[in-house]
Structures are given as structure tokens and as C-alpha cells.
Amino acid sequence: QEQLVESGGGLVQPGGSLRLSCTASRNIFLIYTMGWYRQAPGKQRELVATIASRDATNYADSVKGRFTISRDNSRNTVYLQMNSLKPEDTAVYYCNADPKDTPFEGGPNYWGQGTQVTVSS
């Protein structure tokens, strides 16, 4: 069973910054599209950002210009740099590894355990 290990959540004031990290095994990290999703209380899980194996990125409109997703292939780690945080960014953030458009398409998606991000004064 593949494991994604997340870190970096916490409490931050509006306008502040946080960086989330997610480490995966090398077997999937170099091939799968890595991403971050979030789920606020009473809401559905939603896409935040993704980064493909060749570094193509995709962002939700609500975070464009504030969040940056990146990957360090030497560390098998994907990052989410979150700046200018707003109270509406409060959610549990989940790391995801998606096999879509890879030779493993049709196989399972992998999820991290989630890390809480709270933006409040």
C-alpha cells in the first residue's frame, strides 16, 4: 500500500503563509500527477493544485496568484506554498497521487492522511 506523508499545516493569521510538504515513494512520484486537495467542514473535497511529472501545473481559480505547487524529484516531495492566506482557505489539505494519463491509469489514486490548515486572527 502506497503511503503519502504530509506535513506543514497549522494555524496562521490572515495574510500569512504556510508551506505544505508531501513525500511519496519514488515508484510513483516520478510518474504520477501529484496534487493537493482540500475539504472544509460541510463541503466537498476540492482541487487546489496539481503538478504533472513533466511539471505542468494546474490551479483552482480561488488560489491562483497566491499558491504555488512545486516538486523536488531528488526528495520525492511535492510542496504547496500558500501565501496571502484567507479565512476561507481553512480546511484539511490532502496530498494526492493520480495515475491518470500514465502507464498506470486505471489503478488506484493514493491519498495522504490530511493536514489541518486554519486561517484565523
Side-chain angles (χ1 to χ4, degrees), residues 10 13 29 53 63 78 104 114:
Q13 293 187 341
F29 183 81
S53 59
V63 307
V78 61
F104 302 99

Side-chain angles (χ1 to χ4, degrees), residues 96-119:
N96 172 259
D98 187 348
K100 184 179 179 182
D101 297 329
T102 77
F104 302 99
E105 185 165 0
N109 260 278
Y110 296 107
W111 293 93
Q113 78 282 2
T115 185
Q116 177 70 47
V117 172
T118 302
V119 185

Side-chain angles (χ1 to χ4, degrees), residues 14-17 65-67 82-86 89:
S17 298
R66 300 188 298 123
F67 291 10
M82 303 184 293
N83 298 329
S84 302
L85 282 161
K86 305 175 181 180
D89 294 317

Side-chain angles (χ1 to χ4, degrees), residues 2-5 21-30 34 70-79 95:
E2 183 64 40
Q3 285 190 323
L4 305 181
V5 180
S21 301
C22 171
T23 301
S25 74
R26 195 154 187 85
N27 290 338
I28 68 168
F29 183 81
L30 293 181
M34 303 298 296
S70 62
R71 58 194 299 155
D72 184 341
N73 291 342
S74 68
R75 298 177 181 269
N76 301 340
T77 299
V78 61
Y79 301 100
C95 182

Side-chain angles (χ1 to χ4, degrees), residues 26-98:
R26 195 154 187 85
N27 290 338
I28 68 168
F29 183 81
L30 293 181
I31 299 174
Y32 283 40
T33 292
M34 303 298 296
W36 291 95
Y37 290 70
R38 67 186 181 187
Q39 187 167 18
K43 295 187 176 181
Q44 289 189 333
R45 191 173 297 189
E46 64 176 4
L47 169 74
V48 177
T50 62
I51 184 166
S53 59
R54 295 186 179 183
D55 293 339
T57 58
N58 179 50
Y59 294 92
D61 288 343
S62 59
V63 307
K64 282 180 181 177
R66 300 188 298 123
F67 291 10
T68 303
I69 190 169
S70 62
R71 58 194 299 155
D72 184 341
N73 291 342
S74 68
R75 298 177 181 269
N76 301 340
T77 299
V78 61
Y79 301 100
L80 184 69
Q81 178 67 43
M82 303 184 293
N83 298 329
S84 302
L85 282 161
K86 305 175 181 180
E88 52 263 43
D89 294 317
T90 295
V92 178
Y93 284 69
Y94 296 91
C95 182
N96 172 259
D98 187 348

